[in-house]
Amino acid sequence: MPAQPQTGPIAGRLPAETLAANFADLHPPLSAHEARVAADRCYFCHDAPCVTACPTSIDIPLFIREIQAGRPETAAREIFEANILGGICARVCPTEVLCEGACVREAAEGKPVEIGLLQRHATDSLMARQGHPFTRAAPTGRRVAVVGAGPAGLACAHRLARYGHEVVIYEGAPKPGGLNEYGIAAYKAVDDFAAREAAWIMGIGGIEVRHGQWLGREVTLEALRAEYDAVFLGIGLSGVNDLVVENPALEGVHDAVTFISALRQTRDLTTLPIGREVVVIGGGMTAIDCAVQARALGAESVTLVYRRGRDRMGASRWEQDLAAQRGVRLLFEAAPVALEGEGRLTGVVFERMAEGPEGLRPTGERFTLPADQMFRAVGQRIGETSGVETAHGKVVTQGCGRTTMDKVWAGGDCAAGGDDLTVTAVAQGRDAAEDIHGSLTE
Amino acid sequence: MADLTTRFLGIESPNPFWLASAPPTDKEYNVRRAFEAGWGGVVWKTLGAEGPPVVNVNGPRYGVLHGPDRRVLGLNNIELITDRDLETNLEEMARVKADYPDRALIASIMVPCEEAAWKAILPRVAETNADGIELNFGCPHGMSERGMGSAVGQVPEYIEMVARWCKQYYDRPVIVKLTPNITDIRKPAEAARRGGADAVSLINTINSITAVDLDRMAPEPTIDGKGSHGGYCGPAVKPIALSMVSEIARAEATRGMPISGIGGITTWRDAAEFMVLGAGTVQVCTAAMTYGFRIVEELCAGLSDWMDEEGYRSTADFVGAAVPNVTDWKNLNLNYVAKARIDQSLCIKCGRCYTACEDTSHQAIAMTPDRVFEVIDAECVACNLCVDVCPVESCIDMVPMAPGSLDPRTGRVVSGEHGDWTTHPNNPMAQAAE
Ligand SMILES: Cc1cc2nc3c(=O)[nH]c(=O)nc-3n(C[C@H](O)[C@H](O)[C@H](O)COP(=O)(O)OP(=O)(O)OC[C@H]3O[C@@H](n4cnc5c(N)ncnc54)[C@H](O)[C@@H]3O)c2cc1C
Ligand SMILES: Cc1cc2nc3c(=O)[nH]c(=O)nc-3n(C[C@H](O)[C@H](O)[C@H](O)COP(=O)(O)O)c2cc1C
Ligand code: SF4
Ligand code: SF4
Ligand code: SF4
């Protein structure tokens, strides 16, 4: 008789081979022939809606045509010109709501051109050569501090370095990449891609990264403003929103981002503990990724509970379907009110919610889900801001990332205006760099 | 199920689909399997004169032009005529014909341009009981360097002469296969008729280089670092072949001469197009070489279904039916005015029509800020480019303007009368209407 699955977060629920399969590349790369066939489907549209839908405005028809003509590396240059993180974007962008969602073939047949996979084909081809495709302009002697080595910081630093400015990145974490390294679902960035990409970006030269440098601790904004010609803040959202429930301090209750970060940094996934009956609270990409990866680690049941209706979920329909396919149960219009257990979590009590014109309203009807592990994924918020003006939890910016503080720019998740996506962070970092460059060469 | 039985020069075959003289018909093994698969006839791979046969290269002999997903659009070859000896071929032909008396079996021949050579081979071919012969005046590579193939086909006087010898020394139908590597295809066809040939078949392959290897700096296919031009065939040559067939079908000097149509035929529709332009049978090579013998099932089923739909009882009912509508440009009605019309419910807003018209035509398509594309009638000359580049079938239509309505481009009222260049005021040669 097989042993009864054990309760409580424990490691090694699945053998290594199963884990390897569960965490394999979500969208395996196209072969050269597949890429040609996929590229042939592009109509080379005029004023292409896919380009409009790409936050970094990559010239999609042109790069696809270059693949079609047998020059994936030429295509990659075209991509990197607009988006130096085109490699990770090809893997993590919710293309179904961005470029592919706007593709005319999506409208025509419900089968868009596979822009993401083609972008990956091109960027992989070029990066496989290891050569960095751009050369740095002659040094200008101007110096810029970039805080945070996430997508926004890296994009900003690269563009500035290309113009010949000297860039020093102050990063608190031990590795560069931001959420590419610590947040994105493991199966979206396999084979240590985030670290490889960051190293490849540094190939431009003129960028120094100082790790273990937290703004507000090891370094102050005052000092940076004094030492550098400009400062760019790309610090993302380092705070985590709290969940107000009765009895919150039980063993088995975690923040989703902490769990994901640990997962991303664990080499041997058989050593990572996971519960048997897991509950995830939240409705965004983080909640979905947390739930899917909990299942992939071997949790017997995973239930994602979102307080509003399906349509209001931050995660796209495609992401929701992915979760459902991977065995995650999605529950809508219910909010946690209390946690059960003595010392250890044993269950979560929910109250059904109703969404009406006056907003979200508790109905009084309650139910309990047994749970030995629960993850909170109810949003991140800005952390250290060192006196820069914020509003609605974001740094206030005007135009291309200028904050209201002299010599300070901001972009990415920490700044207003983006969609909290990798690609919007890249766009904002890049555009801020252009603006900084403009102001330095005035 | 319409009856596809076809009579061509008195030769009956169960359907009009013959395999052209080429590798598919190179030997008994192939031809038996082709007949089993359902082909109506074959033109046996071209025979050469008695003696040591020609030799082929031992490296790649084909080059290719690919469309999307490596679809074969065009093939080129540097193969010569049969490289097996005459006796073997003749014995095999005789055996196959005896076993398949209901199928057409035509012998293709290419021997030097000397009366003795033809006089020698024709009785041998007659002994096989083949239904007729086809004179290969078309092969554009290799054989032409030796004064045969297209080297003969490009000189109408030679064609006439050889055709006459053949009619003299052979008593069954003689078909002359024409090379397209010539400026005016009507000239060799007229020569064939003058020489007494019963029919022409066309086209043979077109001089071509399909690709150049940029590493080796040599044309493909490349043999030990060098390449030679080859003969082009397959879907890409169909438009050229159709035009040539139609020219012969409508020219006064050759009108009514039976034609076997060849060139890029891949589906039943291609075959039907050749036939309505005057071809009594069609011959297929590249499509069979790409997909195998079984395509004949689709050819037969498709043609027969179409005939049923149209009410044709036999292929003779529609052979040549489109010939009267092939005319010279000067006879086209210049008073006919059409305008492009975009069906907004089908439009997927790719903007291709806009770019094509804006960049390279008449700036007659407007785009609104929210990407709605509309034709500007005052600019549209009805050139059809937008229709051709639109990825959605039937999304753009060419709508004729009713006589009496005002063409906003010219400011003139559309006339219901026919008016062509021959009487147009801008034509210095115009004959004034009496
Ligand atoms: C779990 C999860 C999954 C996601 N999945 C996707 C996805 O599939 N697709 C997608 O497009 N987006 C996804 N996102 C969103 C995406 O990761 C972010 O939008 C993007 O990383 C934002 O980039 P950034 O550079 O602004 O911030 P971050 O990536 O957060 O980088 C900020 C960097 O700044 C550093 N930092 C922070 N504070 C300080 C400080 N005080 N001093 C020094 N350094 C500091 C951090 O260590 C980090 O390296 C996901 C987010 C999460 C949390
Ligand atoms: C490999 C190859 C060899 C050929 N050999 C001959 C030949 O020996 N005699 C001949 O008359 N035509 C020859 N042809 C021409 C074909 O019979 C035919 O005219 C031509 O391929 C056009 O038809 P298609 O487009 O259906 O291929 C050859 C064609 C190919 C591809
Ligand atoms: S919308 Fe689609 S078809 Fe048009 S250019 Fe973009 S990818 Fe190509
Ligand atoms: S088709 Fe391929 S395997 Fe067959 S003879 Fe030709 S090269 Fe050889
Ligand atoms: S080419 Fe066709 S589908 Fe594309 S915009 Fe024009 S009419 Fe619409």
Side-chain angles (χ1 to χ4, degrees), chain B residues 104-383:
Chain B
L105 193 153
I106 310 292
S108 169
I109 309 175
M110 182 197 290
V111 293
C113 217
E114 297 150 12
E115 188 168 1
W118 291 92
K119 195 173 170 182
I121 197 168
L122 290 168
R124 313 272 315 268
V125 169
E127 280 168 22
T128 64
N129 197 28
D131 297 293
I133 58 173
E134 186 182 80
L135 315 187
N136 178 353
F137 291 153
C139 182
H141 48 266
M143 301 312 292
S144 55
E145 295 170 15
R146 304 172 202 181
M148 291 181 269
S150 65
V152 179
Q154 286 163 341
V155 185
E157 293 72 25
Y158 291 172
I159 294 178
E160 183 179 343
M161 178 175 76
V162 177
R164 191 161 285 133
W165 292 334
C166 290
K167 286 310 284 183
Q168 190 179 342
Y169 300 116
Y170 183 70
D171 61 1
R172 288 194 172 177
V174 174
I175 306 167
V176 173
K177 184 166 179 178
L178 303 180
T179 176
N181 299 303
I182 188 163
T183 319
D184 184 348
I185 196 68
R186 292 172 301 186
K187 296 290 179 271
E190 287 165 17
R193 181 170 244 189
R194 280 198 306 274
D198 301 278
V200 289
S201 59
L202 69 162
I203 58 173
N204 209 311
T205 56
I206 305 177
N207 277 342
S208 61
I209 290 177
T210 42
V212 179
D213 184 323
L214 292 177
D215 296 320
R216 292 188 281 188
M217 284 297 165
E220 291 177 1
T222 314
I223 308 284
D224 194 21
K226 300 251 187 286
S228 168
H229 71 85
Y232 199 42
C233 50
V237 310
K238 180 187 128 184
I240 298 163
L242 277 179
S243 165
M244 290 184 163
V245 165
S246 76
E247 288 306 311
I248 292 169
R250 76 190 182 96
E252 209 161 317
T254 47
R255 195 171 297 158
M257 191 178 193
I259 300 172
S260 186
I262 320 170
I265 294 162
T266 309
T267 68
W268 73 269
R269 179 178 286 275
D270 300 326
E273 289 173 14
F274 272 88
M275 294 173 83
V276 298
L277 284 181
T281 63
V282 292
Q283 300 183 29
V284 176
C285 170
T286 305
M289 289 181 69
T290 309
Y291 304 107
F293 292 140
R294 256 169 51 82
I295 59 164
V296 72
E297 293 173 37
E298 172 269 314
L299 293 172
C300 288
L303 189 68
S304 145
D305 276 5
W306 172 73
M307 286 169 64
D308 286 346
E309 266 167 40
E310 299 297 320
Y312 296 123
R313 312 266 299 283
S314 96
T315 56
D317 289 357
F318 60 86
V319 167
V323 176
N325 292 329
V326 184
T327 183
D328 288 344
W329 192 94
K330 64 173 189 271
N331 300 322
L332 298 176
N333 184 5
L334 296 171
N335 289 339
Y336 174 87
V337 180
K339 298 286 172 193
R341 187 78 60 246
I342 297 173
D343 180 341
Q344 297 297 340
S345 71
L346 291 176
C347 174
I348 60 170
K349 303 191 193 315
C350 68
R352 272 185 160 187
C353 56
Y354 174 83
T355 307
C357 194
E358 188 67 19
D359 288 4
T360 68
S361 295
H362 298 84
Q363 296 77 47
I365 294 182
M367 182 179 107
T368 63
D370 53 341
R371 305 186 79 259
V372 174
F373 299 87
E374 290 278 14
V375 176
I376 307 165
D377 284 356
E379 303 293 341
C380 177
V381 302
C383 73

Side-chain angles (χ1 to χ4, degrees), chain A residues 69-316:
Chain A
R71 304 298 312 170
E73 295 188 17
T74 312
R77 250 196 88 100
E78 188 65 45
I79 294 163
F80 289 136
E81 192 66 57
N83 179 337
I84 194 66
L85 280 94
I88 192 75
C89 288
R91 291 161 165 79
V92 308
C93 274
T95 53
E96 63 281 3
V97 295
L98 298 172
C99 54
E100 292 180 17
C103 174
V104 299
R105 298 203 76 160
E106 168 65 30
E109 318 149 62
K111 284 197 204 79
V113 174
E114 293 174 299
I115 303 169
L117 280 170
L118 286 166
Q119 179 170 323
R120 172 157 177 197
H121 176 74
T123 52
D124 280 0
S125 308
L126 190 149
M127 289 171 78
R129 283 191 308 143
Q130 287 302 323
H132 189 89
F134 300 108
T135 43
R136 199 178 163 217
T140 60
R142 312 308 292 266
R143 302 178 71 231
V144 182
V146 168
V147 187
L154 288 173
C156 181
H158 183 270
R159 187 54 63 107
L160 288 168
R162 251 185 100 179
Y163 282 129
H165 307 303
E166 189 184 322
V167 182
V168 179
I169 303 183
Y170 291 84
E171 169 58 60
K175 290 185 183 177
L179 290 170
N180 292 353
E181 176 63 44
Y182 295 101
I184 296 292
Y187 41 75
K188 288 185 184 171
V190 299
D191 299 331
D192 218 11
F193 184 78
R196 287 193 287 126
E197 181 179 55
W200 173 86
I201 290 172
M202 297 304 161
I204 186 72
I207 305 175
E208 181 198 341
V209 193
R210 298 186 188 159
H211 289 286
Q213 299 289 309
W214 293 103
L215 181 72
R217 265 176 34 197
E218 283 78 12
V219 56
T220 68
L221 189 52
E222 279 317 293
L224 293 179
R225 288 173 70 205
E227 187 183 343
Y228 294 89
D229 297 305
V231 180
F232 174 79
L233 298 178
I235 51 178
L237 302 172
S238 56
V240 183
N241 289 342
D242 254 345
L243 196 61
V244 188
V245 287
E246 292 167 39
N247 203 14
L250 290 176
E251 228 180 286
V253 178
H254 314 270
D255 283 324
V257 286
T258 316
F259 162 69
I260 292 171
S261 169
L263 189 154
R264 286 294 309 274
Q265 300 306 311
T266 303
R267 292 273 147 203
D268 178 3
L269 289 178
T270 60
T271 65
L272 193 69
I274 192 72
R276 181 177 153 208
E277 291 169 302
V278 173
V279 166
V280 179
I281 311 294
M285 200 110 82
T286 307
I288 293 272
D289 285 359
C290 176
V292 172
Q293 292 178 106
R295 265 294 284 172
L297 281 171
E300 197 177 76
S301 79
V302 177
T303 310
L304 184 153
V305 188
Y306 179 50
R307 63 197 171 121
R308 300 180 188 275
R310 182 189 272 279
D311 310 340
R312 300 285 301 271
M313 253 183 118
S316 69

Side-chain angles (χ1 to χ4, degrees), chain A residues 33 37 40 42-49 104 108, chain B residues 68-70 348-352 354-355 367 371 391:
Chain A
H33 175 72
V37 173
D40 268 321
C42 174
Y43 290 145
F44 202 72
C45 295
H46 171 77
D47 182 31
V104 299
Chain B
D69 210 356
R70 288 180 69 83
I348 60 170
K349 303 191 193 315
C350 68
R352 272 185 160 187
Y354 174 83
T355 307
M367 182 179 107
R371 305 186 79 259

